[in-house]
Amino acid sequence: ETERRIVIPFTSVCPYDFWETGNTNWTAVCMGSVACMFMLIYPDMVESLNPRFDNAMECFLSGFKDDGICLEGCSYWHYGFGFFTVYADMIRKFTDGNTDYFKRDKVKNISTFIQKMFLSGNASVSFADGSRSLFYQLGLIHYLKNEYPDDIVVYDKKYSYNYDHCGRFCLHLRSALWFNEIYFNNPAPDNICSEYYAPDSQWLIKRTESYGFAAKGGNNAEPHNHNDVGSFIFAKNGRQVLADLGAGTYTRQYFSGERYSILECSSRGHSVPIIDGSYQFSSPGAAAGNVEYSDGIFTMDISKAYRCDRLKGLTRKFTLTDDSVKLNDTFDCDGDREITERLVTLIKPEIGKDGVVHIGDVTVEYDAEKYGCAINDEPASNGEPCYFIDFTLKSKVCVFECVIK
C-alpha cells in the first residue's frame, strides 16, 4: 500500500504537487511525512530523493520571516512546525548529524514563537486563522526545550495538551517519546511580564501585570489572511476583552471568493476603522507603512488598506503603559467623510456615563463631546454573539482617541 499510494506517485512526478514547492504548513506536513516514510521503509531511496526533501524544507522555512513569526496563526505553527520538527529530528539521525536544521538561528527563532503568544492565562494572540485560547503541544515543546535550553520557556501543564481531534499519530507518538518529566514538573511562572516586537512581521506583543496586548501591521495578502492591518487585542484576567475572533468555521465558502464576506475574515470583524462605509480590502498592496516601535509607542500608517480616494493618510498609534493602552488614530482626508471607529468584543458592553464604556472588568474612556457611541452586534460564523463598540467621529473631528484599561 505504501508503494502504491506514495512511492509510485511521488517518484513519477516532480514536483509532485503544490506542497512540494509551497511555503506554508502543507509543505512540512506532506513532504515531511513522505520523507519520514522513506527513511523508515525505503532507506535505500533516501539519498536520491534527498534533494527534493531539502528543497521542500527550504521552501517551508522561507514562509517565515527571520523574526520567526508564523503568519498563519498559532494552530498552524503547531501543525506545520510540529511535522517539520519530526522530520528534522529523523533526518539528523538518518544522516548521522550531517543535516541539522536546529543549528540555524532562524529555526531557533521559529521554535520560540509559541511561548510569546500567551497574553493572559491561556488567552492568546489569534491573528489570522488562530485560536483565542492557546495550549501548547507538550512533547513538541519538551523536545525544543532540549534543543534550546536557554531559549525555550515551558509553562505550566494546564496550558499543554496531548489530544488532537484530527488524530495525527506522529505528534501523539512524540508526546510520549519526547516527554520530559523535569520540564513537566518544573514549569516557568506564567505571569512573566514581557515585551516582544517582531519588525519583519510587524507584530507587537506585550504582557504586563495588568493586561496582555498584541497589535499588527502587515498586509492583507498573508497566509490564512484576514483583512486586519492595524488590528489589535486587549486581554485581561485570562480572556480576550477586545478580541480578534481568529479562525472562522471552516467551510467551502471560507476558502473561496466569499472569504471576505465572512465576519472573522473581514475587517468589519476587527478593531479597525470603517471609512465612508468601506472596509479594508485584500491585496499585497493593502499594507501598513511607516511602521515603528520604540519606548512603548507603536505607530503605522494603515491608509493603504482602504479603497478610499479621499483618504490621504491614517496614522494609528498605540501608547502602552504598565496599566493602560491609549489608541490614537489621525485621519488625513479631503472633504467631508464618515468615520466609524470599531472595537470588537465577545463580552456584551455597556455605555456608561461621562464617556466610559464598560466591557466586563475593562473600561474604554473617550471624549463624548467629539464622538458618538453605539453598540451593534453580528453573530460569528459559529453563531457566537459578537459585539461592536462603534464610535462615530463628529463633523470636522479628524483624530480619535481612547484609553483602554
Side-chain angles (χ1 to χ4, degrees), residues 127 387 405:
F127 297 147
Y387 302 96
K405 60 185 179 181

Side-chain angles (χ1 to χ4, degrees), residues 65-131:
K65 297 183 185 297
D66 288 341
D67 55 29
I69 294 293
C70 181
L71 295 176
E72 297 179 277
C74 294
S75 300
Y76 287 96
W77 180 90
H78 277 111
Y79 189 34
F81 195 67
F83 273 81
F84 169 83
T85 301
V86 172
Y87 166 78
D89 172 67
M90 286 188 65
I91 196 69
R92 180 167 60 180
K93 293 173 181 174
F94 190 88
T95 61
D96 295 325
N98 290 322
T99 300
D100 191 348
Y101 289 95
F102 298 107
K103 290 181 178 179
R104 301 188 187 186
D105 288 341
K106 186 173 186 177
V107 172
K108 181 171 74 172
N109 290 341
I110 298 169
S111 298
T112 64
F113 166 77
I114 207 70
Q115 68 199 40
K116 299 164 183 170
M117 298 299 110
F118 290 90
L119 295 176
S120 176
N122 68 352
S124 62
V125 178
S126 50
F127 297 147
D129 276 351
S131 172

Side-chain angles (χ1 to χ4, degrees), residues 13-45:
V13 179
C14 180
Y16 178 73
D17 209 341
F18 71 94
W19 49 257
E20 186 165 346
T21 56
N23 64 359
T24 68
N25 68 89
W26 277 108
T27 303
V29 172
C30 299
M31 182 60 91
S33 298
V34 168
C36 289
M37 187 282 304
F38 276 102
M39 284 187 273
L40 289 167
I41 304 177
Y42 302 93
D44 292 342
M45 299 181 69

Side-chain angles (χ1 to χ4, degrees), residues 154-228:
V154 180
Y155 292 119
D156 190 270
K157 57 190 175 186
K158 64 185 176 184
Y159 301 128
S160 69
Y161 79 96
N162 292 312
Y163 175 70
D164 180 347
H165 69 281
C166 290
R168 302 177 182 96
F169 179 71
C170 85
L171 295 180
H172 277 300
L173 179 60
R174 267 64 181 189
S175 283
L177 295 176
W178 293 343
F179 176 83
N180 187 306
E181 190 171 3
I182 295 174
Y183 301 152
F184 185 77
N185 290 326
N186 297 277
D190 60 4
N191 59 349
I192 300 172
C193 296
S194 61
E195 178 179 289
Y196 179 67
Y197 177 54
D200 300 323
S201 302
Q202 301 175 349
W203 286 25
L204 172 67
I205 299 99
K206 184 177 179 68
R207 189 165 58 180
T208 74
E209 292 181 356
S210 298
Y211 66 86
F213 174 83
K216 70 181 294 292
N219 65 74
N220 286 338
E222 295 173 341
H224 284 264
N225 183 66
H226 292 195
N227 289 343
D228 60 354

